[in-house]
Amino acid sequence: MINVPNMLMVGAASRNAGKTEFVCNLIQQYCKNIPVTAIKVTTIREGTDTCPRGGKGCGVCASLRGDYCINEEKLLVGNKDTIRMKNAGASKVFWLRVRRKSLKEGIVSLLDIIPPC
């Protein structure tokens, strides 16, 4: 287990459950008083043709080279979840795409680059 003080994790068992909307509302509330770093995690399961983002052919899973990839969101225009979090007031937003077998390694690497607290 990885213990990270001051971290809130939001998840659900399906798509379109309202996770991003909920997180954006939290970011708007908290960013007024403290800097907020937001993280989106997409876990890629090996040996399945079902994309965790909901479909075939979007390229997110197929484009992953290696066990994980961390990207910082810089854009402010668009409707991607990471852009929505940035526009809600997060100072930094990261997207971790990771193969299921490397989830711990990817999270540890991500924690090394995000600001403390």
Side-chain angles (χ1 to χ4, degrees):
M1 178 180 352
I2 300 171
N3 182 12
V4 182
N6 301 319
M7 180 182 277
L8 173 65
M9 183 168 50
V10 175
S14 67
R15 295 185 68 238
N16 298 318
K19 300 178 296 286
T20 302
E21 187 67 28
F22 176 69
V23 167
C24 286
N25 286 328
L26 286 175
I27 291 168
Q28 288 172 346
Q29 292 301 310
Y30 282 96
C31 76
K32 297 171 187 170
N33 300 313
I34 57 171
V36 174
T37 299
I39 301 165
K40 177 182 174 85
V41 178
T42 302
T43 305
I44 299 167
R45 289 168 282 184
E46 301 296 328
T48 180
D49 5 340
T50 306
C51 175
R53 298 181 75 221
K56 248 183 166 176
C58 76
V60 168
C61 300
S63 68
L64 182 61
R65 305 286 178 238
D67 291 330
Y68 64 90
C69 178
I70 301 168
N71 297 100
E72 182 175 354
E73 186 61 76
K74 299 288 189 182
L75 300 176
L76 295 174
V77 178
N79 200 33
K80 292 179 1 186
D81 291 351
T82 51
I83 294 172
R84 291 174 58 196
M85 290 182 231
K86 187 89 173 148
N87 286 328
S91 11
K92 291 190 174 278
V93 179
F94 295 95
W95 183 23
L96 169 64
R97 293 180 297 137
V98 60
R99 297 189 194 286
R100 186 177 216 164
K101 65 180 175 131
S102 302
L103 193 53
K104 184 174 183 178
E105 179 185 355
I107 293 290
V108 168
S109 292
L110 178 65
L111 292 174
D112 283 343
I113 63 171
I114 63 173
C117 303

